[in-house]
Structures are given as structure tokens and as C-alpha cells.
């Protein structure tokens, strides 16, 4: 998907994390629970023990081997730099500690809004959903305006309600796309438990996999073209040789959470994770 697909001309560049212009908000604002993904328990608002004074991670190149693979999967969709540089005007929580509590409250809200912008930006380019294009663009612009609210307004925003409204619109767009795939009505696994499922080489074109649990599923060689993948959990799923070109609402975080190979085909808007096999 081209990077100039935003109606404001900014493209998806603004929806990609720029850690060099963020005050490590994901390393401070979020709660971490010791698990296979994170090597420690950490309360929201408490800096990770691996965070350096320059807002960089002290074990960035060793996150997976040090027990923090979840950090390599996380994606803020550009919310970090938006909150750091725009919402709070470049003031950081260490230099201006009076901003810390509110900054940490605002970051997860803007992160959710930016994720919605990612989906809406894609939806606006889907040819089969052109009948919804005006509504999609109005919703995209309204969501963009919300990201520019003052900190107090962002902290009080009912982001769950807005997500619910956008979800309905995205589902309608996805249905219109999936309707172009013959037999797609037989392929609904919305919210399904497919943990460890053996789907090697499966024809999942146009499948409804919204919110499906695909943890450790074998999807090697599967055809996922035009499948709706919004919210699908791909942790440790095997996507080796799978075809995800044209897959709907796929994110970099989902791809990063999976395993893949040089033969895995991804949408042009997403990159191949460094930990994937050649």
C-alpha cells in the first residue's frame, strides 16, 4: 500500500514508530507482566529497568535472548512521537516531571487512535468498499482530530466508544472485499479458537479471522489473500511460505509476533522481521 494514502497527504509515515523522537513512553507508561513475553513485572508509570538515561533500551539488540520478545513485537503506530513532540511540545517526563502522570495517561489513548488511523487509511483504498469511501474518510479525519486534542481532553476521551463505532465501519468494508472471493461465507472463524491449529497449505482466501486465536498455528504455505485479519493473534504462528498479499488490516505487530521465512509473501506496507528465517 502506498505511503501517500492518507487524505492529508502525510501517508502512513506518521503512523510508524519513530523511537528517536519519543521519550520511551512504551517503556514507562505501560504495565508489564512477567511472562514468556516479558522478563519482569512492571507497574504503569514505572520505567523499565533496562531503560537508559537517554531514553534508549540498554538491551535493544538482545531483547529476544534476554527474555523480552514482547518488546520486539509492540508497535505504537507512531503515537509515541505524537505525544512526545506534539501533544506535550517536546517536554519530556524527566525534564518536566509535572507532565509525567498525564503523559502516561494520554499515550495509550493516542496509541489506540493511531491504530484506528492505520486501519481506516487502508480501508479508504479498498476498491470493493468504494461505496463507503466518503464515510471512511470522514471517520478518518474525525479520528485524526481526536489525536490533536489537549492532554486533559485526551485523558478523558471515551476511546472505547470511538473504537466500537470504527469497528462497525471496518467490518462493513471488510465484508465488501471478502464478498469478491467465491465461497468466502464458508470461511468464518471470527474470534475462533485456532490455537495450534494445523492449517498448513489451507485455502483461507477471504476468510473472516477477525480476533481469531492463531497462537502457534501451522499456517505454512496457507493462502490468506483478502482474509480479514484485524485483531487476529499470530503469536508464534508459522507463516513460512504463506501468502498474505492483499490480507485485510494486517499490522506489523502481528507479523512480528509470528514466525516466517523468505518465502512468506507480505503486503508492501509491512516489513520482514529480522528474526524470521531466510
Amino acid at each position: 500500500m502506498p505511503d501517500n494514502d492518507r487524505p492529508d497527504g502525510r501517508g502512513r509515515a506518521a503512523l510508524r514508530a519513530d523511537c528517536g523522537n519519543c521519550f520511551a513512553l512504551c517503556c514507562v507508561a505501560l504495565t508489564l507482566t512477567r511472562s514468556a513475553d516479558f522478563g519482569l513485572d512492571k507497574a504503569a508509570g514505572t520505567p523499565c529497568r533496562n531503560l537508559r538515561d537517554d531514553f534508549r533500551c540498554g538491551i535493544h539488540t538482545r531483547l529476544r535472548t534476554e527474555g523480552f520478545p514482547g518488546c520486539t513485537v509492540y508497535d505504537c503506530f507512531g503515537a509515541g512521537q505524537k505525544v512526545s513532540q506534539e501533544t506535550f511540545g517536546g517536554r519530556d517526563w524527566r525534564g518536566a516531571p509535572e507532565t509525567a502522570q498525564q503523559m502516561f495517561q494520554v499515550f495509550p489513548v493516542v496509541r489506540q487512535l493511531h491504530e484506528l488511523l492505520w486501519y481506516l487509511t487502508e480501508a479508504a483504498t479498498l476498491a470493493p468498499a468504494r461505496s463507503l469511501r466518503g464515510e471512511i474518510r470522514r471517520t478518518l479525519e474525525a479520528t485524526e482530530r481526536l489525536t490533536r486534542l489537549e492532554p486533559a481532553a485526551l485523558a478523558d476521551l471515551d476511546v472505547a466508544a470511538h473504537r466500537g463505532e470504527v469497528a462497525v465501519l471496518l467490518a462493513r468494508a471488510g465484508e465488501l472485499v471478502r464478498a469478491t472471493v467465491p465461497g468466502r461465507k464458508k470461511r468464518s472463524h471470527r474470534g475462533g479458537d485456532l490455537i495450534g491449529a494445523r492449517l498448513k497449505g489451507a485455502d483461507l482466501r477471504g476468510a473472516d479471522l477477525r480476533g481469531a486465536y492463531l497462537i502457534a498455528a501451522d499456517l505454512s504455505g496457507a493462502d490468506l489473500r483478502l482474509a480479514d485479519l484485524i485483531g487476529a493473534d499470530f503469536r508464534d504462528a508459522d507463516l513460512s511460505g504463506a501468502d498474505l498479499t492483499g490480507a485485510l488490516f494486517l499490522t506489523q505487530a502481528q507479523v512480528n509476533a509470528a514466525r516466517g521465512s523468505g518465502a512468506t509473501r507480505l503486503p508492501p506496507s509491512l516489513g520482514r522481521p529480522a528474526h524470521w528465517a531466510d
Side-chain angles (χ1 to χ4, degrees), residues 132-162:
L132 299 176
R133 195 158 291 169
E135 186 176 354
I136 290 169
R137 289 186 176 273
R138 287 191 295 274
T139 304
L140 193 156
E141 290 162 0
T143 304
E144 176 71 33
R145 286 194 295 272
L146 290 177
T147 71
R148 300 186 181 282
L149 291 174
E150 292 297 314
L154 279 167
D156 291 337
L157 181 67
D158 188 350
V159 71
H162 186 67

Side-chain angles (χ1 to χ4, degrees), residues 81-144:
Q81 66 260 27
K82 169 71 76 63
V83 172
S84 297
Q85 303 301 328
E86 297 184 30
T87 310
F88 286 88
R91 293 174 297 160
D92 71 80
W93 50 270
R94 279 181 172 145
E98 69 278 6
T99 68
Q101 182 177 2
Q102 193 172 57
M103 187 179 293
F104 301 155
Q105 288 178 320
V106 163
F107 170 65
V109 174
V110 177
R111 191 266 177 200
Q112 290 186 67
L113 293 173
H114 270 225
E115 181 180 4
L116 295 178
L117 288 175
W118 178 275
Y119 296 140
L120 288 164
T121 298
E122 178 176 340
T125 70
L126 300 174
R130 55 184 170 272
S131 62
L132 299 176
R133 195 158 291 169
E135 186 176 354
I136 290 169
R137 289 186 176 273
R138 287 191 295 274
T139 304
L140 193 156
E141 290 162 0
T143 304
E144 176 71 33

